Amino acid sequence: MTLHTLGGESMGTRWSVRLTAARDADLRALHAGIEARLALVVRQMSTWEAGSDISAYNRADAGTWQSIPPEFATVLACALAIAETSDGAFDPTVGALVGLWGFGADAQTTTPDAARVQATQASTGWKRITFDQAQSRVLQPGGVHLDLSAIAKGFAVDLVIAHLMDAGIEAALVEVGGELRGYGRKPDGSGWRVLVEAGPEEDDHALEPRVLELDGIAVASSGDRWHAYERDGRRYTHTIDPRRGEPVEHAPAAVTVIAGSAMQADGWATALTVLGAEAGFALAQRRGIAARFLERGSDGLHERMTDAFRARLVAA
């Protein structure tokens, strides 16, 4: 068996796959299959694509039922479950607010006033979603803009993993835009060891490296150092607090979550970032979620891990 590497671009980011297969494995077919799965996620769940299923829902008239494909339904079901458990800190109806604050496909270029925020927030709220999962359809109550960007990349990783397993690949490590999931062992028998995502601040403060072995688990990170801009002396992050209708002002520097699926890890990393270091840590600890928080202090970064996260660490 040989270790092969594949890669490309999709979903506005890069993807990579390391896999164990025979030396003469048909890598072209595997690459095409991976690209097809990623393209499916874009076709169904990208708000950047006017012809996507999610864009069709967002344009739909009030009171109309919209049929959605099974993959879209799977992601929406997970998103709504996280929304309920996090008491709305994660909310798939946040799309209009994302654009209002200068992010996403419909990014606006001026800072909104309180009246515009309030008016836009009135069209959001995960409880407004009526989802008939058995019939794979969603009711558009009027003005709701779904945005699954905080969870779709994770689902894409899971979809690629499923494709590789179906193709008979015994071991693989898949990454899409920083979300990772692995299974099996490399040809030398070792596992897929990855360093918990770090940034320049961590290097500067010499925090102890945190290493995970991904065998049947996934890891995703969120935080305030990804996708942000400054305007009028204030820094705005892409993570929106749906409960306030504004970007999270004092987000942790990073939140990393380990879960059985990349979709769950991706969604919960965002939810815990919105909740913040105190409330987020308390919820994660209470529910047995494996999460690591990095907080900024006057003396540098501070690390906090739930018991479930600490139990997953391996020696560097």
Side-chain angles (χ1 to χ4, degrees):
M1 301 299 281
T2 303
L3 186 62
H4 302 278
T5 301
L6 302 174
E9 295 183 3
S10 182
M11 303 177 71
T13 188
R14 295 198 60 80
W15 64 267
S16 67
V17 173
R18 300 177 68 197
L19 59 90
T20 296
R23 187 179 299 275
D24 60 350
D26 188 350
L27 297 181
R28 287 181 180 271
L30 287 172
H31 191 280
I34 292 167
E35 293 263 303
R37 270 65 181 183
L38 297 174
L40 179 149
V41 176
V42 171
R43 190 167 62 248
Q44 294 186 16
M45 291 170 256
S46 173
T47 56
W48 294 86
E49 300 291 328
S52 69
D53 294 285
I54 198 169
S55 292
Y57 173 85
N58 291 343
R59 290 192 304 266
D61 294 333
T64 60
W65 284 94
Q66 302 297 309
S67 296
I68 59 175
E71 295 84 4
F72 188 164
T74 295
V75 177
L76 181 58
C78 181
L80 291 172
I82 295 175
E84 182 175 14
T85 305
S86 67
D87 199 22
F90 184 94
D91 191 333
T93 70
V94 77
L97 286 168
V98 170
L100 183 69
W101 286 102
F103 299 98
D106 300 313
Q108 299 185 27
T109 57
T110 58
T111 304
D113 58 23
R116 288 177 64 201
V117 172
Q118 187 175 13
T120 304
Q121 196 172 15
S123 68
T124 69
W126 67 274
K127 291 183 179 179
R128 298 186 67 208
I129 296 295
T130 302
F131 178 32
D132 181 355
Q133 191 169 3
Q135 297 296 319
S136 198
R137 61 179 189 160
V138 192
L139 181 66
Q140 170 59 270
V144 165
H145 283 233
L146 288 175
D147 186 333
L148 298 173
S149 59
I151 194 170
K153 278 194 302 180
F155 176 74
V157 170
D158 296 332
L159 209 57
V160 171
I161 288 282
H163 164 62
L164 295 175
M165 288 180 167
D166 289 345
I169 300 302
E170 296 179 2
L173 176 67
V174 176
E175 177 187 3
V176 179
E179 327 299 9
L180 298 108
R181 180 175 166 185
Y183 71 93
R185 318 294 287 184
K186 290 186 282 187
D188 63 3
S190 63
W192 303 107
R193 290 195 171 190
V194 299
L195 188 66
V196 174
E197 190 161 358
E201 290 174 293
E202 288 182 75
D203 295 335
D204 291 345
H205 290 83
L207 289 176
E208 183 178 348
R210 300 301 185 185
V211 179
L212 303 172
E213 186 166 286
L214 303 186
D215 188 0
I217 59 173
V219 61
S221 295
S222 181
D224 77 347
R225 63 170 172 255
W226 294 277
H227 308 300
Y229 67 87
E230 289 192 10
R231 184 184 295 159
D232 301 326
R234 178 181 168 184
R235 188 170 186 268
Y236 296 90
T237 70
H238 78 296
T239 304
I240 306 296
D241 185 342
R243 304 163 303 175
R244 297 175 57 247
E246 299 180 359
V248 176
E249 195 164 0
H250 301 292
V255 178
T256 300
V257 174
I258 305 167
S261 73
M263 176 173 63
Q264 287 279 349
D266 199 6
W268 272 111
T270 297
L272 296 178
T273 297
V274 172
L275 285 167
E278 292 303 322
F281 182 86
L283 176 63
Q285 185 77 320
R286 186 167 65 250
R287 296 192 64 86
I289 297 170
R292 175 202 190 220
F293 292 76
L294 283 184
E295 305 170 68
R296 291 188 181 88
S298 58
D299 56 344
L301 290 174
H302 297 269
E303 178 188 51
R304 199 176 185 189
M305 294 179 283
T306 64
D307 294 340
F309 190 96
R310 191 178 296 277
R312 288 287 189 177
L313 293 177
V314 297

